[in-house]
Amino acid sequence: DRFGLPSTGSTANTAAALVANEVLQRKDTKTGYDFDSPFFRRWVEVNTLPDIGMVPSPLGTNSES
């Protein structure tokens, strides 16, 4: 909901594949997943958030805010 992703099998399958490839880690929180690498997380934010109309947080701030 937060990022406008559909709750479909393709979204779940993508997340499962990223966990299997150790790109994402499963969390026991509301968000459900987190990146293993803060550098890759930032790359994803900068390169994908504008596609869904969101602006990446400035460097040095918590992107979870």
Side-chain angles (χ1 to χ4, degrees), residues 21-39:
N21 287 301
E22 299 179 353
V23 174
L24 287 178
Q25 295 177 336
R26 185 86 171 128
K27 294 185 347 181
D28 292 328
T29 64
K30 187 177 182 180
T31 57
Y33 298 92
D34 199 6
F35 286 92
D36 187 38
S37 166
F39 303 106

Side-chain angles (χ1 to χ4, degrees), residues 33-46:
Y33 298 92
D34 199 6
F35 286 92
D36 187 38
S37 166
F39 303 106
F40 187 63
R41 176 190 177 95
R42 182 64 183 173
W43 183 90
V44 170
E45 289 174 347
V46 168

Side-chain angles (χ1 to χ4, degrees), residues 2-65:
R2 182 173 154 203
F3 296 107
L5 297 172
S7 295
T8 64
S10 63
T11 303
N13 290 339
T14 300
L18 291 171
V19 169
N21 287 301
E22 299 179 353
V23 174
L24 287 178
Q25 295 177 336
R26 185 86 171 128
K27 294 185 347 181
D28 292 328
T29 64
K30 187 177 182 180
T31 57
Y33 298 92
D34 199 6
F35 286 92
D36 187 38
S37 166
F39 303 106
F40 187 63
R41 176 190 177 95
R42 182 64 183 173
W43 183 90
V44 170
E45 289 174 347
V46 168
N47 289 285
T48 62
L49 288 181
D51 291 345
I52 59 172
M54 296 179 73
V55 178
S57 61
L59 286 175
T61 62
N62 184 354
S63 58
E64 291 285 321
S65 300

